[in-house]
Amino acid sequence: MTTIADRLAIAQQRIINAAQLTGRNSSEIRLLAVSKTKPIADIITAYEAGQRQFGENYVQEGVDKITTLSTQYPEIEWHFIGPLQSNKSRLVASHFDWMHTLSREKIAQRLNDYRPSEMAPLNVCIQVNISAEETKSGIDIHDILPLANAIHKMPRLRLRGLMAIGSTSADVALQQHEFSTLNQAFAELKSSYPHLDTLSMGMSGDLDAAIANGSTLVRIGSAIFGERHYSDSI
Ligand SMILES: *Cc1c(COP(=O)(O)O)cnc(C)c1O
């Protein structure tokens, strides 16, 4: 049976291979371990194997894990990657280090208002809808700049880049098309905001296409922690 440590090493090797194929340096690409629905013991196992960045989708589950682990594991960087309702903004602002799924100015304003002054500014990515699937969230690619301009004025937020979820399709040509569209939008946004350094795209099933198109952060869950069973409690 493969262990979490084995699967982390395999994921890291996949990143190295995908980077080499397109002449990129794999040190530009960070691995976010997506631990949603998985028990705290699995996070500690991954931590002991060297992993420091973890992603969570559900506010209360993430906050519970952060509260349990933050004193003993202050080096963990916590990323919120799920959909956020505005009434949960305060919880995200007061616990997480990163928020990847920002697509509304109203939520940005709340996160800015609630970010505690003793914490560093909250790192944020704007989520863009690059998929033809209607269920996917995120803003239209043409609306990125006005939202970026608004976030840029908020002192408790630090805009880091763009995030997207690809279509669930295994069609590699479609994955390539979606990720290259986001990569172009990122390049355009960087002409206004050159400090941006994060293109959050690629998951267990489409990491290669994402890295070929400039991803700097891949979000890997099931390939590290195994399939998710949504009835499991933490
Ligand atoms: C669950 C999730 C992931 C990880 O998905 P896997 O297919 O398990 O790698 C990545 N990004 C987001 C936004 C997710 O919700």
Side-chain angles (χ1 to χ4, degrees):
M1 206 191 110
T2 54
T3 64
I4 287 174
D6 293 337
R7 285 184 245 125
L8 255 178
I10 292 167
Q12 274 149 357
Q13 192 58 49
R14 277 178 75 191
I15 293 172
I16 291 169
N17 294 347
Q20 269 170 1
L21 273 176
T22 46
R24 297 188 60 202
N25 186 339
S26 62
S27 68
E28 300 166 2
I29 304 155
R30 303 206 288 163
L31 170 60
L32 181 68
V34 177
S35 43
K36 65 185 180 206
T37 79
K38 297 297 175 181
I40 281 176
D42 287 4
I43 297 177
I44 295 174
T45 303
Y47 180 92
E48 284 168 353
Q51 181 65 29
R52 293 292 179 272
Q53 285 138 346
F54 292 88
E56 290 286 337
N57 279 60
Y58 309 104
V59 176
Q60 196 55 55
E61 178 189 341
V63 168
D64 289 346
K65 287 173 173 171
I66 295 169
T67 309
T68 306
L69 294 171
S70 62
T71 311
Q72 210 181 339
Y73 301 94
E75 278 177 36
I76 297 184
E77 189 177 84
W78 294 99
H79 294 238
F80 185 75
I81 61 169
L84 180 61
Q85 295 166 324
S86 63
N87 63 349
K88 303 257 175 78
S89 313
R90 185 197 286 271
L91 281 170
V92 168
S94 52
H95 290 88
F96 283 87
D97 301 297
W98 283 70
M99 151 64 171
H100 288 232
T101 50
L102 199 48
S103 58
R104 288 163 63 200
E105 187 176 338
K106 181 185 156 197
I107 303 248
Q109 190 62 59
R110 282 179 174 242
L111 292 169
N112 182 68
D113 292 346
Y114 289 137
R115 183 67 170 173
S117 56
E118 69 276 13
M119 293 177 85
L122 180 66
N123 296 293
V124 300
C125 293
I126 294 175
Q127 183 178 6
V128 183
N129 187 354
I130 52 168
S131 153
E133 294 168 16
E134 282 181 13
T135 52
K136 290 285 187 296
S137 40
I139 61 168
D140 188 90
I141 206 148
H142 302 104
D143 299 331
I144 296 172
L145 189 57
L147 182 58
N149 292 340
I151 294 169
H152 185 65
K153 296 196 187 89
M154 300 181 187
R156 305 299 297 140
L157 302 185
R158 180 144 184 256
L159 183 61
R160 299 294 295 263
L162 301 178
M163 177 272 199
I165 302 173
S167 291
T168 39
S169 164
D171 176 348
V172 174
L174 177 64
Q175 294 174 358
Q176 293 274 3
H177 172 73
E178 291 177 351
F179 290 142
S180 96
T181 304
L182 192 69
N183 194 20
Q184 277 166 34
F186 186 50
E188 275 170 40
L189 187 61
K190 280 211 284 194
S191 66
S192 301
Y193 295 106
H195 73 278
L196 299 185
D197 59 4
T198 303
L199 190 50
S200 166
M201 60 186 195
M203 312 190 353
S204 297
D206 56 16
L207 164 161
D208 300 276
I211 289 176
N213 288 285
S215 170
T216 70
L217 185 152
V218 291
R219 309 176 307 263
I220 308 293
S222 48
I224 296 171
F225 296 109
E227 292 304 319
R228 285 177 293 275
H229 307 285
Y230 282 91
S231 57
D232 293 356
S233 57
I234 60 163

